[in-house]
Amino acid sequence: MTQTVPELKFHDGNSIDQLGYGVWQVPDAEAEIVVGKAIDAGYRHIDTARIYGNEEGVGRAIAATDVPREELFITTKVWNSDQGYEKTLLAADASLERLGLEYVDLYLIHWLQPKRGTYVDTWKALIQLQKDGKAKSIGVCNFTIEALEELYAETGVRPVINQVETHPYFPQNELRAYEAEHGILHESWSPLGQGGDLLTDPVLVKIAEKHNASVAQVVIAWHLAVGNVVIPKSVTDSRIIENFASLNVTLDDEDLAAIATLDRGPEGRIAADPATADFA
Ligand SMILES: NC(=O)c1ccc[n+]([C@@H]2O[C@H](COP(=O)([O-])OP(=O)(O)OC[C@H]3O[C@@H](n4cnc5c(N)ncnc54)[C@H](OP(=O)(O)O)[C@@H]3O)[C@@H](O)[C@H]2O)c1
């Protein structure tokens, strides 16, 4: 049983572990403990955000581990109310301070916020942050094809990755095809459907039985098989380990074809639609 995490290459030359660990809704005090457990389980890629309120806890886990900084991959994100050129530069410094880091591996715009209309200026700030060495790589979350086109038209720089709600009920096929064509990696948030109905879906239960795996492992194995970067969240010791062990589950063509039938179209979306979501 090997548990080597596959690496995917960004168009800027850097790489990302395809399987990471997400910490949305993890309280700051708990973040140090669970991130430490995730690192012990084998994760090296951690996904946080300013708005999660746990950058300090993540930073304490980074400070406490024996794993060298250069072997870790840390992502954080600029929150909506910090969008705009100058505010984003300040927000990045504040995130680095809370994390106790000189640089993050990946800095992302958290939401498009179309009505706010500041995402191009925010993107220009991220380009500057990369030049300054404060972010090794830069990308976005919750961007539409149109907005990805606009960033490129305005700046000539494409994000390395787009982190978006993605799971078998909402597989994002059109967006993924566009990104693949333009060298942008696809990263799945809420990859387990936030632990809801997806994890008792009969089609997935059957595939899980066939592989002697859990449904969550089958879902993570599906993200890996179709080329998504995937960042499942769990604060449960056994699930942190279980999810990492998804690397040992290899789905066959028949499994992938069965999972492709689960696409529910727009009805499959759990959270807000980035094309219209505007919140503080
Ligand atoms: N960019 C964005 O806008 C955005 C939005 C949402 C999320 N994200 C990122 O994506 C990460 C993951 O998404 P998410 O936290 O929304 O949801 P998720 O990873 O799809 O699901 C997490 C839920 O599933 C449960 N779970 C985890 N492993 C399980 C297993 N093996 N068996 C059964 N249940 C399991 C967890 O419970 P326990 O924790 O109780 O074990 C938790 O309730 C976030 O943490 C965050 O880093 C980004």
Side-chain angles (χ1 to χ4, degrees), residues 24 47 142 163 190 192 194 233-236 239 242-243:
W24 179 39
D47 183 90
N142 301 305
Q163 186 187 110
S190 296
L192 300 174
Q194 299 184 357
K233 170 262 178 188
S234 176
V235 293
T236 311
R239 290 172 173 173
E242 173 188 328
N243 294 348

Side-chain angles (χ1 to χ4, degrees), residues 76-225:
T76 195
K77 314 179 188 101
V78 55
W79 185 239
N80 303 337
S81 53
D82 289 326
Q83 279 208 19
Y85 189 83
E86 294 298 338
K87 280 167 90 179
T88 296
L89 295 180
L90 292 173
D93 281 342
S95 282
L96 288 173
E97 193 168 329
R98 283 189 291 272
L99 286 160
L101 296 178
E102 304 274 310
Y103 68 90
V104 286
D105 297 276
L106 181 61
Y107 198 51
L108 301 175
I109 301 179
H110 205 144
W111 284 86
L112 174 59
Q113 297 283 286
K115 285 202 200 113
R116 194 179 292 267
T118 47
Y119 52 85
V120 172
D121 282 345
T122 305
W123 183 240
K124 289 177 181 166
L126 265 62
I127 292 170
Q128 188 59 44
L129 288 165
Q130 186 176 26
K131 285 188 185 139
D132 293 344
K134 294 180 180 179
K136 296 277 183 201
S137 294
I138 52 173
V140 295
C141 310
N142 301 305
F143 265 52
T144 58
I145 291 174
E146 294 70 24
L148 290 168
E149 285 284 293
E150 193 182 342
L151 288 193
Y152 185 64
E154 293 283 337
T155 66
V157 182
R158 292 191 200 280
V160 294
I161 203 162
N162 189 16
Q163 186 187 110
V164 187
E165 177 182 346
T166 311
H167 43 75
Y169 286 162
F170 195 59
Q172 298 273 17
N173 292 332
E174 191 191 344
L175 182 60
R176 290 179 59 253
Y178 169 86
E179 291 160 352
E181 207 179 305
H182 294 88
I184 300 168
L185 296 186
H186 188 86
E187 181 165 18
S188 306
W189 61 250
S190 296
L192 300 174
Q194 299 184 357
D197 292 352
L198 182 71
L199 298 187
T200 51
D201 186 285
V203 169
L204 296 173
V205 168
K206 206 166 147 210
I207 297 171
E209 283 166 0
K210 172 175 148 187
H211 289 277
N212 200 18
S214 70
V215 173
Q217 288 178 323
V218 166
V219 172
I220 295 167
W222 170 80
H223 287 281
L224 297 172

